[in-house]
Amino acid sequence: MDYDQAYRDTETYFGGAADPLLEKWAPCLESRRPVLDVGCGQGRNSVYLARQGLTVHAIDPSRVAIDQLQHRISEEKWTIRTMCAGFADTDLEPDDYGGVLVFGLVQELEWPDVGSLTEFCRRHLAVDGLLLVTAFSTLDPIYTFHHRTWQSIGHNSFRNLEGGIRTYLEPDQILTLFDGYDVLHHWEGLGPEHSHGDGPPERHGRIEAVFRMPSRD
């Protein structure tokens, strides 16, 4: 999908409000360390945290999204540092973040990149820091369509002719992907109905989890 174009066409392509999971767990994020928003898009979750007084580092490969977020920052003086990059292309310090957000990214990646993402999170999350993750499950109503019509590139992972990726997790698979953490929250089911831009309403098989980094001893 061409996210640059989608963001040009719609100022709040994924909506203006923070993800409900973040709204619920934001009070548990300690304020002494910054929060890393991986795949921040136009910044709805970063802005929410900045309004709560937290420092946020927001990264995304879309130049349009980062420029839009940077413009908002310059107007509002929020404590958000932006970086136009994919997670694999950053030079961030390890063990530096009190929270890492991974909203809506897992389903966009091929399996080797999912593995790289899990290691990236493990490397950069500080002890007692929180990792908030959402993903798509095989219960997603459109999973069967993708399985039938898109090219298979791995287990429950598919690519369309334009290069778009959809990777779906099986029940409880997220706990295996992010093993070794303390599990504070885990839920799977149908998410709420929503729209992207002026697109039709849709619902996804949603997985959400909150993990805490234990002591590395």
Side-chain angles (χ1 to χ4, degrees):
M1 177 176 175
D2 185 352
Y3 278 113
D4 278 349
Q5 190 59 53
Y7 295 146
R8 288 190 193 98
D9 292 342
T10 308
E11 290 185 2
T12 54
Y13 183 76
F14 290 102
D19 191 281
L21 183 66
L22 179 60
E23 292 181 333
K24 179 178 179 180
W25 285 89
C28 299
L29 293 166
E30 54 100 355
S31 59
R32 293 181 297 109
R33 293 179 182 270
V35 175
L36 179 62
D37 189 358
V38 185
C40 65
Q42 292 164 298
R44 64 191 182 108
N45 294 311
S46 294
V47 167
Y48 177 82
L49 290 182
R51 284 173 172 162
Q52 314 304 311
L54 278 74
T55 298
V56 184
H57 294 176
I59 63 174
D60 197 281
S62 168
R63 169 51 63 186
V64 173
I66 291 298
D67 286 348
Q68 290 174 342
L69 178 54
Q70 191 60 52
H71 179 70
R72 296 181 68 187
I73 295 168
S74 63
E75 290 184 331
E76 300 291 341
K77 304 297 188 293
W78 289 316
T79 52
I80 303 175
R81 169 191 166 193
T82 61
M83 184 183 306
C84 184
F87 65 87
D89 303 317
T90 63
D91 56 356
L92 303 172
E93 293 296 324
D95 305 334
D96 198 36
Y97 292 96
V100 175
L101 312 182
V102 184
F103 288 109
L105 179 57
V106 173
Q107 63 262 22
E108 302 274 348
L109 303 176
E110 299 183 41
W111 280 117
D113 294 326
V114 173
S116 297
L117 175 64
T118 62
E119 290 306 311
F120 173 88
C121 294
R122 198 178 307 275
R123 185 165 63 250
H124 292 293
L125 188 62
V127 171
D128 290 331
L130 299 186
L131 170 61
L132 282 66
V133 185
T134 65
F136 286 177
S137 80
T138 52
L139 299 178
D140 194 298
I142 205 170
Y143 166 79
T144 301
F145 171 79
H146 287 158
H147 188 280
R148 187 176 67 251
T149 63
W150 288 22
Q151 177 190 4
S152 175
I153 56 173
H155 186 61
N156 296 325
S157 185
F158 313 98
R159 178 190 290 119
N160 66 11
L161 294 177
E162 290 73 40
I165 304 294
R166 279 294 178 270
T167 295
Y168 298 90
L169 305 187
E170 294 182 345
D172 296 336
Q173 188 176 4
I174 197 167
L175 303 179
T176 304
L177 287 178
F178 294 94
D179 64 338
Y181 294 89
D182 298 328
V183 181
L184 304 185
H185 169 75
H186 173 222
W187 178 87
E188 304 191 13
L190 275 180
E193 188 174 273
H194 64 283
S195 298
H196 298 308
D198 58 358
E202 57 186 70
R203 296 183 76 184
H204 292 295
R206 176 177 166 96
I207 300 171
E208 57 186 43
V210 179
F211 302 101
R212 180 171 58 207
M213 176 64 76
S215 171
R216 301 181 193 274
D217 294 340

